[in-house]
Amino acid sequence: MGRSHALSGAVVWLGGCALAASLGARPAVGTVVVGAAVTAGGALLPDVDHPGSVIARSLGPVTRLIAHGTAAGAAALRAASCACCAGRGGHRAITHTLVFAVAAGLVVSLLCWVGGDVAAAAVAGLAAALAMRGAVRRRTRGAWGAALTGLVVGLMAAALPGPGGGWWWVGLPLGLGCLVHSLGDALTFSRVPLLWPIRIRGCRWAAVGMWAPLRFRTGSAAELLLVVPVLMLLGAISAWTLITP
Ligand SMILES: [Zn+2]
Ligand SMILES: [Zn+2]
């Protein structure tokens, strides 16, 4: 469910910013906007290992090809790094681990550190476009809305002063978004190998997740009627805390 993932990413960042503000350390506008966009977009990134996901369909054949490549690579890595995991495929494998979240964050931090304003604006714009694509249902409307959102957030990132000291921190919301995605998956019936390569009961890709009776199915009524409204409420409260002086 792309919508819940994107939404939960943005809410985690906004909530963190609201908490910082209420403790007296009000973050810069650029930190709030760019961070929320990148966390929301990053929260869709782990599903790049599935050709049917939002991110795989976001740029047509290009992203589909990337998704097929990632799925194949992830399947090969899973089979190679654990004897009991041959033939289990590439979905919910390496991209759904803590190691991936940290590595993706480091790569983006390096990119923004070296590339400066331009790289940060590009990352923020792409992430925002992707998040919008995940949040909106209808395909065509989603494409234009996503492109426009990406452009606006990208320009904002370029125009707004960062929190001083440059943009190296953009990897933090990205990695956080990846982690929020994997934790979100762990709460559903589809658990994730979050702790790879640590062996659990002999398997390096042991699925970790919620205690069975408390898990819910993706796309279920519980997600639509409970998770999405609660996330929206938390996001609204956080945004209100940040807007009011
Ligand atoms: Zn996933
Ligand atoms: Zn195994």
Side-chain angles (χ1 to χ4, degrees):
M1 286 272 93
R3 193 170 25 168
S4 301
H5 281 309
L7 197 57
S8 57
V11 168
V12 166
W13 188 263
L14 287 177
C17 288
L19 191 69
S22 65
L23 292 174
R26 186 169 286 269
V29 181
T31 312
V32 177
V33 174
V34 172
V38 174
T39 320
L44 294 170
L45 189 58
D47 277 350
V48 70
D49 66 0
H50 192 289
S53 64
V54 176
I55 185 165
R57 286 178 294 143
S58 57
L59 280 178
V62 181
T63 40
R64 231 181 357 255
L65 199 68
I66 294 173
H68 278 290
T70 310
L77 179 66
R78 169 133 76 182
S81 81
C82 183
C84 72
C85 286
R88 284 181 60 196
H91 186 40
R92 296 207 178 89
I94 185 67
T95 56
H96 288 66
T97 63
L98 198 58
V99 171
F100 176 83
V102 173
L106 285 176
V107 167
V108 167
S109 272
L110 189 68
L111 192 75
C112 293
W113 182 50
V114 174
D117 291 355
V118 178
V123 169
L126 274 174
L130 187 62
M132 202 59 197
R133 201 95 165 100
V136 179
R137 266 191 170 176
R138 291 264 287 283
R139 267 205 183 182
T140 43
R141 194 175 59 194
W144 286 106
L148 191 66
T149 310
L151 196 66
V152 169
V153 172
L155 289 175
M156 267 181 102
L160 285 169
W167 292 102
W168 58 268
W169 56 273
V170 172
L172 183 71
L174 188 104
L176 186 66
C178 293
L179 185 62
V180 167
H181 175 107
S182 295
L183 290 176
D185 276 357
L187 292 176
T188 64
F189 273 94
S190 39
R191 299 177 300 160
V192 299
L194 193 66
L195 300 176
W196 178 86
I198 297 171
R199 261 185 215 282
I200 301 172
R201 290 184 300 277
C203 181
R204 289 195 197 280
W205 300 95
V208 293
M210 185 61 117
W211 181 49
L214 290 182
R215 279 180 233 145
F216 60 86
R217 206 175 286 278
T218 40
S220 67
E223 178 172 16
L224 223 63
L225 299 176
L226 188 71
V227 179
V228 171
V230 166
L231 284 174
M232 283 182 156
L233 184 68
L234 287 176
I237 294 171
S238 304
W240 180 252
T241 311
L242 287 165
I243 290 166
T244 49

